[in-house]
Amino acid sequence: MTAVEPTTSRPDLKSRRTMLCGLAVALLAPGALVAACSTDSDSGSGSTTEDNRATSPGFPSGLAALADVPDGGGLIVEGPDGQVLLVRTGDQVKAYNAACTHMGTIIAAPVDGVATCPNHGSEFSTEDGSVVKGPATSPLAEVAVRVDGTDVVMA
């Protein structure tokens, strides 16, 4: 039986670690990744597309067009302090911080009145942000929004 000499450097692990770190940064900070990849000509365009409404000069406090939020469903949008879950019933819109209260992962858009965290399966009611199923134990924080004409804006 021959002894295997331990190696002190494993290049395959280093490249995997680098790749995983890059992936983690991309998943945890998608806005930062988009900002880092944009060019100077992208900033200040005044465009009001869904991706940049919250910071657009022509739409300073807007989150989304009311028509973009599915009636009876919801939509995740970028807000001034992070991602926001918008939930619509008719002309009424409620909003919650979209970060799961368990580990901070952004939840998915709701299905049948329940928004689910893709990491550990916590479920939240879109009625009031309460926990339907753990491991999360705290409800989603409500965000003050209002409908202004045809748009959903920060209140």
Side-chain angles (χ1 to χ4, degrees):
M1 183 171 197
T2 59
V4 176
E5 290 293 319
T7 59
T8 57
S9 175
R10 301 253 335 247
D12 59 326
L13 289 180
K14 184 177 178 185
S15 63
R16 282 188 206 147
R17 186 176 303 122
T18 301
M19 188 263 319
L20 289 173
C21 287
L23 180 60
V25 168
L27 292 174
L28 295 175
L33 182 63
V34 170
C37 295
S38 66
T39 64
D40 288 345
S41 64
D42 291 337
S43 61
S45 68
S47 172
T48 57
T49 62
E50 183 175 290
D51 292 339
N52 66 2
R53 281 191 181 145
T55 59
S56 169
F59 206 93
S61 63
L63 297 172
L66 181 61
D68 290 343
V69 184
D71 194 1
L75 178 69
I76 305 290
V77 298
E78 190 65 38
D81 297 321
Q83 294 188 337
V84 176
L85 167 63
L86 299 177
V87 180
R88 176 178 170 202
T89 305
D91 290 336
Q92 299 297 313
V93 177
K94 291 183 180 181
Y96 304 97
N97 182 318
C100 177
T101 57
H102 176 236
M103 298 282 294
T105 301
I106 300 303
I107 59 176
V111 175
D112 296 328
V114 176
T116 303
C117 176
N119 260 10
H120 301 110
S122 291
E123 296 179 352
F124 301 91
S125 168
T126 57
E127 179 85 19
D128 58 5
S130 63
V131 176
V132 173
K133 176 183 149 200
T137 58
S138 300
L140 296 173
E142 192 161 350
V143 175
V145 297
R146 64 184 172 82
V147 175
D148 182 16
T150 60
D151 299 309
V152 180
V153 299
M154 297 298 296

